[in-house]
Amino acid sequence: MTDRDRRPLPLSVRVVLGVLGPLLLLGAWEAYCRISDVDALLLPPPSDVATSLWEDRSLLWDTFLITAREIAFGLAVALVLGVVLAIAMHLSRVVRATLGPLVIGSQAIPLPVLAPILVFWLGFGIAPKLAIVAVICFFPVVVATLDALDRVDPDLTRLLRTMGAGRWQRLRWVELPAALPAALSGAKISVAIGAIAAVFAEYAGTEQGAGGLGHVIQSAQSGLATDRAFAAVAILAAFTIATTGALALAQRLLAPWAHRRPGDSP
Amino acid sequence: MTDRDRRPLPLSVRVVLGVLGPLLLLGAWEAYCRISDVDALLLPPPSDVATSLWEDRSLLWDTFLITAREIAFGLAVALVLGVVLAIAMHLSRVVRATLGPLVIGSQAIPLPVLAPILVFWLGFGIAPKLAIVAVICFFPVVVATLDALDRVDPDLTRLLRTMGAGRWQRLRWVELPAALPAALSGAKISVAIGAIAAVFAEYAGTEQGAGGLGHVIQSAQSGLATDRAFAAVAILAAFTIATTGALALAQRLLAPWAHRRPGDSP
Amino acid sequence: MVRRLGALPVLDGIDLDVAPHEVVALVGPSGCGKSTLLELVCGLQQPDAGTLRVHPAALMPQRDLLLPWLSSRDNVALPLRLAGASRRAARAAAEELLERVELGRFARSRPDQLSGGMRQRVSFLRALATERDLLCLDEPFGALDAITREELRHWLVDRLRERPRSVLLVTHDVEEAALLGDRVVVLGPRPARVVAEVPVTAGRADGRHREATDAPVVDARRRIHAALHAAIAAGRAAGTEATA
Amino acid sequence: MVRRLGALPVLDGIDLDVAPHEVVALVGPSGCGKSTLLELVCGLQQPDAGTLRVHPAALMPQRDLLLPWLSSRDNVALPLRLAGASRRAARAAAEELLERVELGRFARSRPDQLSGGMRQRVSFLRALATERDLLCLDEPFGALDAITREELRHWLVDRLRERPRSVLLVTHDVEEAALLGDRVVVLGPRPARVVAEVPVTAGRADGRHREATDAPVVDARRRIHAALHAAIAAGRAAGTEATA
Amino acid sequence: GEKSEDVSGSQRPPQERISLLLDYLPNADHAGIYQAQANGSFSKAGLTVDIRTPQDPASVLGLVASGKVDVGITYEPELLLARAQGRDLVAFASLVTRPLTSLISLPKAKIRSAKDLEGKTVGTAGIPYQSAYLETILRKAGVDPKTVKQVNVGFNLNGALLSGKVDATLGAFWNYEGVDLQQRRKKPVIVPVNELGVPTYDELVLVARNETLINRESAIRRLVRAIGEGYQAVRRNPDAGADPLLAANKDLDPGLQREAVSKSVDAFFPADAKKPWGWMETDDWASYAQWMLDQGLLKRQMPLDNVLTTDFLAGEGAGEGRKTPGGQDRPAQKLPGYRGE
Ligand SMILES: Nc1ncnc2c1ncn2[C@@H]1O[C@H](COP(=O)(O)OP(=O)(O)OP(=O)(O)O)[C@@H](O)[C@H]1O
Ligand SMILES: Nc1ncnc2c1ncn2[C@@H]1O[C@H](COP(=O)(O)OP(=O)(O)OP(=O)(O)O)[C@@H](O)[C@H]1O
Ligand SMILES: [Mg+2]
Ligand SMILES: [Mg+2]
């Protein structure tokens, strides 16, 4: 195995493989559904799901737009809050010691307990959904950013201090750029769970006609239309793959120094 | 602000602050419940929760043990699978291109869709719960580990190759130790969402008498005993804080080179 | 003033005065604590005991400590920007400096795209660009070839003539110490103590640069070398932990 | 053989033969491509064009590239363990080597607890411990004081007597090149080309070490210096991108 | 009722907003509500009704009690539990007047009567009072509850049944999961719990805070009347009854909902045809409450005269039971098995 093996494959090959993987899975799944005695209510064959994708396309598309908006705004809130909180905890040991346990503990609150009170505070509109997506997604950002900030070479910050840099300047010139790659890696985790967060968020109660894909999944399931639930999941999965890919790209563009290709350097 | 500010506070101070934060929150919460018109069904005052904690202590303790076991085993599975998968994707570009989209897409599958089929395959015992906890928790480990492996200084691996190190040796001596701190950071994220994963897993079906805290939360909610649901959440939160703390400690012990204290070095 | 790293006393009771505009060269066995001393002086480390008036000083550390995410231009411009210069002005000044050390072509290269000697020059420029009355240089020319090294030495002396400052220079090159220092301080093995002070009397009048063959330089070299040799030998004989 | 880094041709048509057991010293202006050449020889980089028979070689890279998670002992022991030695045997051998460079006390220290010169010595030992017929050293003693440097030079020569190997040595210290090399190759500015070859005729008979004052060494030094000077001047005059 | 209230008159009363929180996702049970919205009953009554969907049924009472919504749909047992905890919530109309919760099994499990449950596995939704149903049913049939394995399958009753992981489920509705199984030709055996020894109760009721009933008496009265008209319209034409529901909720399966509506029409009205839509039988409530007390689901006795009122119902029969929701001027009702608080 040579260095060449660590260079990414050509995009075309990657796309082919990336399509092949799911296709293989779909094939196996279809075969399994036909051979085994699993009921379509539990696990519809991919062909049924495809049919539903096509037949319900307008419903799925409309609701997808609603969900995508919830994910996007919720994630934006999560990223901003997460980075700000991580910085605050990094800058002040008192903030860190005080808020640390609360932040971790907050992750253990199951949605069904949280949702009713969020609805009480924020109503049935998009606000509680954003809050839920943000609550679920901000934690990976906080942990990854804070850990990365803690791992920054202290000599770099101290050198900047000898240059007369204040706290904010050190943050701007050293700590944030140094922590960026790992923070983006946390963001990648957040983006991937954003979809699931939005689904749960929509379980939290909706106004009439304002439900997104989560609502479709819930009502398809209780309406015992599992194929449509799976179709909605397929859309979410595709969306997640696309956004994560975009973020991986952003990672390379924003932090090129952290992704030296083999052979790039002396 | 001096270097001293970056050294951790003394443990005692941290414990005091760590207790103070939640206490302040509890105080505010209690006051809010008394002043506002929020119903205790939505948000019980902490005093009610404390009462329930005490009165239902034996039920809560027994069910906690069940849930803790699910979390522990599920996490163990997630960590092993996550690290192995990350390594496989790191070693082989083909594996990476093929499985990458599937792994990301898998994160978009909401539990309510997944749970029935897992129950169909695995029954109502502990197996489907482990599977659900593992599915939810393994992703942060994969992403964090893989990203960290990708960021390893390629010169180090190449130097080892000039020493005649094979692929596995390079992995063992360079890539795994280099990726360890970030992988543990991913594990920290996983641990924190492990509790919530276990709760959802129990919603998917439990045998009578074998239900853990998730089951308690569910039946407390439908039995309008919100205070008991919150008591269960409080236990989960405490458990999460403890395990995350343990993992943070492990991080410092296992990867001391990544946590140089300020002033340690020339 | 005491500084311990781990269980090891690294510095113990060093007394060092740098007169205004004086160039003091520090020489000592590897691992004796020269870098530690410099970092203490600049406030990069803190003493465990004793007092030390930290001087605002410009530091060029031994590991270059360039910021990996900044181009060489921006690395050099950094102290200027921290001092309040606009991005444009700081960059322009940095580019001018880079031209002077023949790195103009590499203004936009990131540190990982530079050779060892190039990185050292960038780090040197960054320290020069930091406007302080004391300049601390930790082996500034260690990774440079003989010709480049001489040129930079001359350039540094010229710059110090233009804008006099005190300099604390750590070097393992005895000749370099004699060529640059007004006074050479020789440190013994860890814990570092001053074992000899060698004044260099060669003048610097009318823009002339000292030559390695100047009698006072040759003389100073010999004396520094002897002091260093004696210190290391004494250290070993005394059975204190040796440091080569 | 051609190697480009970015848009910059770094090496172009270098032809270099190292005879068995010969010590070839490489000298050249900073940034000319010496490290790149060494890494190509060892297979750390790959040529863009042309062929190059990669020799199994032991490399001491310019940045020390010590593994931060291993103690100095384990860093030195690493090549032995990769070659199949048990952990105990490898560690014992490593500790013995560390004693020789007076780092015995620091066997358990991690690289970030060592001074610059100490790290360099550990990296040097690691290369020595790699059993290969070709030893590639990239500025091995650049961060050491004069005394330690001389001792290590002698020690290296002794080791090569015990177990002869070919050596490719990059150094910016012309004296060192003359003291260690059987032949000194002078490279011109980037893209590096051989501009002069200076054989050093001083013998090494009966365990004696060359002295800086030996006539052939003094002579070689002068010639290397002249060649380097000429190469740099020519490079500038030709208006090729200068590299100091 | 206050007969002066004229809702059918030609002059349009001012539009008044009222929020209505469903018990769960919109489904056949709500056909009349959507009917009322579609055919203008609400606007004729001077109401703008905001229909909301909750996260899960358990959060409805909390949101109503907090005043976040004006009116909610909940289950009789849940209301009784909430009352026992001192919440001043009152049922003022019944939406589904009999139990929908059923014991459902597939033919291959060969469960013809409750006796056959011995040694079998039963899936429940994890709701405490439904577990108590199972216990009551088994005791009535003379089966030792210990011989029956109970599994909590959460939201997934039919899935568990079809996967063969359970032999029967208790907690699914006959007019929904039951209908679905029939449509899938699984020939399910469906028995509502009240036919197995559980006292009958109203599966779905409309509730509001006592305060709301007093302060917005007129609006509530108009709301009840309008919803009643909606269900009347459903009864008149069951085949079209689901149309407004389906129009408002594109994600529903039309076949299933239509069938469910036509199966449920009778359950939307009281058994006694002389009673108006929404009628609740106080005696039935009392015996159900007594059963809950016996099962230990209710911790203490409480008077029932504040739990429900039929005072808001339209037509003849309205005004029986309590007079006014908050007043002290009505005779206290003595209910079987109950002493005062
Ligand atoms: N973090 C640390 N923990 C323990 N010991 C340390 C640490 N950092 C430095 N030391 C020790 O301090 C001593 C002095 O280090 P310093 O870097 O000051 O030496 P130096 O004189 O600059 O050497 P060199 O010429 O090799 O650069 C060394 O012996 C080193 O081992
Ligand atoms: N990753 C890279 N991208 C672009 N250019 C690079 C990269 N790595 C090295 N270079 C260029 O290659 C040239 C040769 O570098 P090399 O490290 O081989 O020089 P060197 O002769 O070892 O110099 P020194 O004596 O300063 O160590 C330099 O001009 C450097 O700028
Ligand atoms: Mg040093
Ligand atoms: Mg080099």
Side-chain angles (χ1 to χ4, degrees):
Chain A
M1 187 166 184
T2 68
D3 253 359
R4 202 143 291 143
D5 293 322
R6 284 204 52 194
R7 292 194 196 139
L9 290 168
L11 188 64
S12 56
V13 179
R14 269 187 291 162
V15 168
V16 168
L17 285 173
V19 170
L20 199 73
L23 277 186
L24 279 176
L25 181 78
L26 290 181
W29 171 4
E30 181 83 40
Y32 174 76
C33 286
R34 296 191 178 206
I35 295 166
S36 80
D37 58 348
V38 64
D39 195 281
L41 184 69
L42 289 177
L43 186 70
S47 47
D48 284 14
V49 177
T51 311
S52 163
L53 262 176
W54 177 247
E55 283 177 354
D56 302 325
R57 63 189 175 282
S58 91
L59 171 73
L60 289 171
W61 177 249
D62 293 347
T63 49
F64 164 70
L65 291 182
I66 294 175
T67 303
R69 205 183 44 181
E70 290 164 3
I71 297 177
F73 289 142
L75 270 175
V77 173
L79 289 179
V80 171
L81 275 188
V83 169
V84 167
L85 189 65
I87 291 176
M89 289 172 74
H90 177 68
L91 289 185
S92 159
R93 297 173 304 166
V94 173
V95 171
R96 184 189 203 118
T98 315
L99 290 190
L102 285 181
V103 169
I104 298 165
S106 76
Q107 288 309 297
I109 305 179
L111 222 42
V113 172
L114 193 65
I117 183 71
L118 282 179
V119 169
F120 173 73
W121 283 329
L122 303 171
F124 292 88
I126 196 176
K129 280 130 208 147
L130 293 192
I132 288 170
V133 174
V135 164
I136 294 183
C137 291
F138 100 118
F139 186 71
V141 179
V142 175
V143 171
T145 309
L146 190 58
D147 269 8
L149 284 173
D150 287 349
R151 286 199 303 268
V152 171
D153 185 348
D155 284 347
L156 287 180
T157 21
R158 278 184 269 144
L159 181 71
L160 249 79
R161 198 164 51 213
T162 70
M163 293 182 191
R167 197 67 197 86
W168 288 108
Q169 285 179 312
R170 275 175 272 157
L171 200 64
R172 158 169 181 358
W173 289 102
V174 174
E175 295 173 305
L176 287 186
L180 186 64
L184 285 175
S185 164
K188 222 150 66 175
I189 297 176
S190 287
V191 168
I193 58 178
I196 230 168
V199 168
F200 279 120
E202 290 180 8
Y203 283 19
T206 40
E207 283 163 12
Q208 210 178 337
L213 283 177
H215 186 76
V216 169
I217 292 175
Q218 196 186 18
S219 83
Q221 281 224 306
S222 66
L224 310 163
T226 324
D227 45 356
R228 195 194 297 154
F230 272 76
V233 170
I235 292 178
L236 280 176
F239 178 66
T240 305
I241 292 170
T243 46
T244 315
L247 211 65
L249 199 69
Q251 210 171 2
R252 286 185 180 266
L253 292 180
L254 288 175
W257 66 89
H259 293 272
R260 290 196 298 140
R261 296 279 179 75
D264 271 3
S265 82
Chain B
M1 186 164 185
T2 66
D3 253 359
R4 202 144 290 144
D5 293 321
R6 283 205 51 195
R7 292 194 197 140
L9 291 168
L11 188 63
S12 56
V13 178
R14 268 186 293 161
V15 168
V16 168
L17 285 174
V19 170
L20 199 71
L23 277 186
L24 280 177
L25 181 79
L26 290 180
W29 173 4
E30 181 84 39
Y32 175 76
C33 284
R34 294 189 180 211
I35 295 165
S36 81
D37 56 354
V38 64
D39 193 274
L41 280 178
L42 295 179
L43 186 71
S47 48
D48 284 13
V49 177
T51 312
S52 164
L53 263 175
W54 177 247
E55 283 175 358
D56 302 324
R57 63 188 174 281
S58 90
L59 170 75
L60 289 171
W61 177 250
D62 294 346
T63 48
F64 164 68
L65 291 182
I66 295 174
T67 303
R69 206 183 43 182
E70 291 164 2
I71 297 176
F73 289 141
L75 269 175
V77 173
L79 288 179
V80 171
L81 275 188
V83 170
V84 167
L85 188 67
I87 291 176
M89 289 172 73
H90 177 68
L91 290 186
S92 159
R93 297 173 302 166
V94 173
V95 171
R96 187 191 201 115
T98 315
L99 292 189
L102 285 181
V103 169
I104 298 165
S106 77
Q107 288 309 295
I109 305 178
L111 221 42
V113 172
L114 192 64
I117 182 76
L118 281 178
V119 166
F120 173 70
W121 283 328
L122 302 171
F124 294 102
I126 195 176
K129 278 131 209 143
L130 293 193
I132 287 170
V133 173
V135 163
I136 294 184
C137 292
F138 99 118
F139 185 72
V141 180
V142 174
V143 171
T145 310
L146 189 58
D147 269 8
L149 285 173
D150 287 348
R151 285 199 302 266
V152 172
D153 185 346
D155 284 346
L156 287 179
T157 21
R158 280 185 268 144
L159 181 71
L160 249 79
R161 200 167 48 215
T162 71
M163 293 183 191
R167 198 67 196 85
W168 288 109
Q169 285 179 311
R170 274 176 273 157
L171 199 64
R172 168 191 175 334
W173 289 103
V174 174
E175 296 173 304
L176 287 186
L180 186 64
L184 286 174
S185 164
K188 224 150 66 175
I189 297 175
S190 286
V191 168
I193 58 178
I196 232 168
V199 167
F200 278 117
E202 289 178 14
Y203 280 22
T206 40
E207 281 164 27
Q208 196 177 20
L213 286 177
H215 180 73
V216 169
I217 292 175
Q218 191 188 23
S219 74
Q221 281 215 305
S222 56
L224 301 186
T226 323
D227 44 358
R228 197 192 301 149
F230 272 76
V233 171
I235 292 177
L236 280 176
F239 178 66
T240 305
I241 292 169
T243 45
T244 313
L247 211 66
L249 200 70
Q251 211 172 1
R252 287 187 179 265
L253 292 180
L254 289 175
W257 66 89
H259 293 272
R260 292 195 298 139
R261 296 280 180 74
D264 272 2
S265 81
Chain C
M1 184 196 60
V2 179
R3 168 72 175 151
R4 294 168 180 280
L5 290 165
L8 204 72
V10 173
L11 292 176
D12 196 353
I14 287 233
D15 222 349
L16 197 71
D17 278 315
V18 185
H21 306 178
E22 189 188 21
V23 178
V24 175
L26 281 174
V27 171
S30 170
C32 76
K34 303 181 293 296
S35 301
T36 307
L37 179 65
L38 233 60
E39 296 188 356
L40 282 167
V41 167
C42 301
L44 211 67
Q45 300 188 25
Q46 264 142 21
D48 297 307
T51 53
L52 175 109
R53 216 155 46 83
V54 173
H55 300 261
L59 173 69
M60 170 185 177
Q62 190 171 9
R63 351 186 244 138
D64 49 56
L65 286 187
L66 295 177
L67 304 185
W69 37 90
L70 296 184
S71 63
S72 26
R73 172 173 76 171
D74 287 337
N75 263 295
V76 175
L78 183 57
L80 301 172
R81 297 209 53 191
L82 292 177
S86 74
R87 181 204 292 231
R88 282 192 54 164
R91 279 196 173 163
E95 277 170 14
E96 206 177 311
L97 286 172
L98 285 166
E99 286 292 350
R100 287 303 318 258
V101 300
E102 313 208 17
L103 286 178
R105 265 201 78 183
F106 296 90
R108 284 152 203 270
S109 303
R110 281 198 316 264
D112 62 2
Q113 298 168 329
L114 300 178
S115 81
M118 293 162 122
R119 274 202 295 274
Q120 202 169 39
R121 279 176 274 164
V122 175
S123 176
F124 175 63
L125 291 184
R126 184 175 61 180
L128 266 193
T130 313
E131 265 304 320
R132 293 287 147 81
D133 284 331
L134 176 62
L135 185 61
C136 292
L137 303 174
D138 201 346
E139 308 204 353
F141 309 129
L144 298 178
D145 64 279
I147 313 285
T148 312
R149 180 190 288 239
E150 187 180 346
E151 285 173 353
L152 280 191
R153 206 158 56 211
H154 290 177
W155 186 60
L156 172 63
V157 171
D158 292 342
R159 296 230 45 169
L160 288 174
R161 279 208 188 102
E162 276 167 33
R163 151 101 174 77
R165 340 188 187 185
S166 307
V167 177
L168 207 51
L169 168 84
V170 171
T171 177
H172 46 74
D173 184 336
V174 173
E175 183 178 297
E176 191 164 276
L179 284 171
L180 280 174
D182 296 320
R183 183 158 52 103
V184 179
V185 175
V186 182
L187 300 176
R190 184 169 8 97
R193 223 161 314 171
V194 177
V195 296
E197 296 217 7
V198 181
V200 186
T201 51
R204 287 220 160 109
D206 44 86
R208 190 186 153 271
H209 292 287
R210 288 179 194 164
E211 298 278 343
T213 46
D214 292 357
V217 171
V218 173
D219 178 53
R221 256 183 87 175
R222 203 188 30 74
R223 286 167 63 194
I224 299 163
H225 206 279
L228 198 56
H229 212 289
I232 294 182
R236 283 189 200 153
T240 61
E241 16 83 40
T243 45
Chain D
M1 185 195 61
V2 179
R3 169 72 174 149
R4 295 172 177 277
L5 291 164
L8 205 69
V10 173
L11 293 176
D12 195 351
I14 287 231
D15 221 351
L16 198 72
D17 278 316
V18 185
H21 305 177
E22 189 188 21
V23 178
V24 174
L26 281 174
V27 172
S30 170
C32 76
K34 303 181 295 294
S35 301
T36 308
L37 178 64
L38 234 61
E39 296 188 357
L40 281 167
V41 167
C42 300
L44 211 67
Q45 299 188 25
Q46 264 140 21
D48 297 306
T51 54
L52 176 110
R53 217 156 45 82
V54 173
H55 301 259
L59 172 68
M60 170 183 178
Q62 188 171 11
R63 351 186 243 138
D64 49 55
L65 285 187
L66 295 176
L67 303 185
W69 37 89
L70 296 185
S71 62
S72 25
R73 171 173 76 170
D74 288 337
N75 264 296
V76 175
L78 182 58
L80 301 171
R81 298 208 52 191
L82 291 177
S86 73
R87 181 205 291 232
R88 279 191 57 165
R91 276 195 173 162
E95 277 170 13
E96 206 178 310
L97 285 172
L98 285 167
E99 286 291 351
R100 287 302 320 258
V101 300
E102 314 209 16
L103 286 178
R105 264 200 81 181
F106 296 91
R108 285 152 202 271
S109 302
R110 280 198 316 266
D112 62 3
Q113 297 168 329
L114 300 178
S115 81
M118 292 161 123
R119 275 201 296 274
Q120 202 168 40
R121 278 175 274 166
V122 174
S123 176
F124 174 63
L125 292 184
R126 185 175 61 179
L128 266 192
T130 313
E131 265 304 320
R132 292 288 147 81
D133 284 331
L134 176 61
L135 186 61
C136 292
L137 303 174
D138 200 346
E139 309 204 352
F141 309 129
L144 298 177
D145 63 278
I147 313 284
T148 312
R149 180 190 287 239
E150 186 179 347
E151 285 173 353
L152 280 191
R153 207 159 53 214
H154 290 178
W155 187 59
L156 172 63
V157 171
D158 292 343
R159 298 230 44 173
L160 288 175
R161 280 212 187 99
E162 276 168 33
R163 151 96 173 80
R165 342 187 186 186
S166 307
V167 177
L168 206 52
L169 168 84
V170 171
T171 177
H172 46 74
D173 184 336
V174 174
E175 182 179 296
E176 191 165 275
L179 284 171
L180 280 173
D182 297 321
R183 182 158 52 100
V184 180
V185 174
V186 181
L187 300 176
R190 184 169 8 96
R193 223 161 314 173
V194 177
V195 296
E197 295 217 8
V198 181
V200 186
T201 51
R204 286 217 160 112
D206 44 270
R208 189 185 156 273
H209 292 287
R210 288 181 192 163
E211 297 277 345
T213 47
D214 291 356
V217 172
V218 172
D219 178 52
R221 256 183 87 173
R222 203 189 30 77
R223 286 168 62 196
I224 300 163
H225 206 279
L228 198 57
H229 212 290
I232 294 182
R236 279 185 204 155
T240 63
E241 17 84 40
T243 45
Chain E
E2 306 204 5
K3 307 290 187 235
S4 61
E5 192 74 33
D6 176 28
V7 291
S8 52
S10 52
Q11 93 270 28
R12 284 204 154 260
Q15 295 287 310
E16 190 172 344
R17 286 201 99 86
I18 197 157
S19 51
L20 169 62
L21 184 59
L22 304 183
D23 55 303
Y24 193 50
L25 296 173
N27 61 58
D29 299 339
H30 312 123
I33 296 171
Y34 283 92
Q35 189 68 249
Q37 195 172 47
N39 67 19
S41 294
F42 286 149
S43 53
K44 254 188 288 163
L47 295 173
T48 305
V49 179
D50 301 320
I51 302 176
R52 308 257 151 101
T53 308
Q55 177 241 351
D56 74 321
S59 69
V60 172
L61 287 174
L63 289 168
V64 175
S66 299
K68 191 69 195 172
V69 290
D70 303 315
V71 174
I73 301 177
T74 190
Y75 311 91
E76 178 177 333
E78 295 223 339
L79 176 63
L80 289 169
L81 283 170
R83 267 324 282 213
Q85 290 178 9
R87 302 236 150 39
D88 206 7
L89 296 168
V90 181
F92 59 89
S94 168
L95 215 60
V96 174
T97 58
R98 61 198 69 164
L100 296 173
T101 306
S102 307
L103 183 72
I104 302 182
S105 61
L106 295 181
K108 65 172 183 230
K110 298 204 172 52
I111 298 171
R112 258 166 239 99
S113 74
K115 265 201 157 14
D116 300 327
L117 285 174
E118 185 152 7
K120 295 281 192 327
T121 302
V122 180
T124 64
I127 300 173
Y129 59 79
Q130 292 186 349
S131 301
Y133 292 169
L134 183 60
E135 183 133 346
T136 299
I137 291 166
L138 293 175
R139 286 198 191 290
K140 262 246 154 51
V143 177
D144 180 2
K146 284 199 198 65
T147 65
V148 177
K149 191 161 153 202
Q150 197 181 335
V151 178
N152 159 28
V153 297
F155 32 69
N156 188 27
L157 291 159
N158 264 11
L161 192 62
L162 286 173
S163 69
K165 294 284 159 184
V166 298
D167 301 305
T169 62
L170 193 144
F173 286 0
W174 54 258
N175 72 339
Y176 198 64
E177 284 92 342
V179 168
D180 177 65
L181 289 171
Q182 280 159 350
Q183 288 197 331
R184 284 171 199 271
R185 306 186 195 292
K186 301 285 182 189
K187 303 196 171 36
V189 183
I190 305 167
V191 194
V193 291
N194 54 324
E195 294 174 20
L196 291 167
V198 177
T200 189
Y201 62 93
D202 295 319
E203 190 70 62
L204 294 177
V205 293
L206 285 167
V207 296
R209 290 203 283 196
N210 200 11
E211 200 187 314
T212 312
L213 295 182
I214 296 167
N215 297 338
R216 304 188 62 184
E217 181 181 339
S218 150
I220 298 292
R221 209 175 281 287
R222 283 178 278 143
L223 179 75
V224 169
R225 195 166 297 193
I227 294 178
E229 285 171 11
Y231 280 97
Q232 238 101 31
V234 170
R235 177 154 69 176
R236 275 194 304 275
N237 186 0
D239 293 337
D243 289 350
L245 170 74
L246 293 168
N249 299 281
K250 299 258 185 304
D251 49 351
L252 296 181
D253 174 2
L256 177 62
Q257 301 297 340
R258 287 218 167 82
E259 179 69 11
V261 168
S262 60
K263 281 249 159 72
S264 317
V265 173
D266 285 345
F268 295 147
F269 292 88
D272 180 353
K274 290 200 294 293
K275 302 294 188 200
W277 176 88
W279 179 258
M280 293 168 284
E281 205 58 67
T282 316
D283 287 349
D284 289 345
W285 278 66
S287 38
Y288 185 79
Q290 181 63 50
W291 173 84
M292 282 184 86
L293 196 64
D294 295 342
Q295 297 297 315
L297 293 164
L298 288 178
K299 296 288 179 247
R300 63 201 175 95
Q301 292 187 333
M302 57 178 178
L304 273 187
D305 51 356
N306 277 327
V307 178
L308 71 155
T309 173
T310 53
D311 199 34
F312 291 81
L313 304 181
E316 73 272 30
E320 280 189 29
R322 294 192 34 183
K323 284 299 170 214
T324 50
Q328 274 100 44
D329 55 335
R330 335 143 271 107
Q333 264 175 311
K334 285 271 177 266
L335 298 168
Y338 275 82
R339 290 170 272 113
E341 239 167 315

